[in-house]
């Protein structure tokens, strides 16, 4: 497995006729990876800097309120 960084871009997929792009379970898998990194860091070093890029509750509410 090489990660999603080597996957075709949305523009490349569209150029080949893709009308819709689904991220499917890959978003959940990315979250699970973050959970694993944060847990390992907390257990191994006692820190939790892996969580530095979190969204505030206000940011989440704003995202969920968009339509």
């Amino acid at each position: 497995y090489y990660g999603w960084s080597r996957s075709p871009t949305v523009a490349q997929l569209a150029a080949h006729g893709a009308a819709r792009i689904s991220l499917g379970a890959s978003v959940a898998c990315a979250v699970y990876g973050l959970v694993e990194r944060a847990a390992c860091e907390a257990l191994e070093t006692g820190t939790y800097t892996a969580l530095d890029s979190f969204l505030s509750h206000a940011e989440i509410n704003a995202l969920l309120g968009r339509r």
Side-chain angles (χ1 to χ4, degrees):
Y1 175 71
Y2 53 81
W4 292 105
S5 63
R6 291 178 37 196
S7 296
T9 66
V10 172
Q12 291 169 327
L13 292 169
H16 287 280
R20 298 183 319 171
I21 309 299
S22 174
L23 299 178
S26 58
V27 173
C29 290
V31 172
Y32 298 144
L34 172 61
V35 169
E36 178 186 34
R37 288 189 301 279
C40 288
E41 178 186 351
L43 290 170
E44 294 169 5
T45 67
T47 60
Y48 39 91
T49 59
L51 302 175
D52 281 349
S53 62
F54 74 96
L55 294 177
S56 70
H57 290 286
E59 291 169 312
I60 294 169
N61 288 335
L63 285 172
L64 295 176
R66 292 184 190 163
R67 295 191 193 253

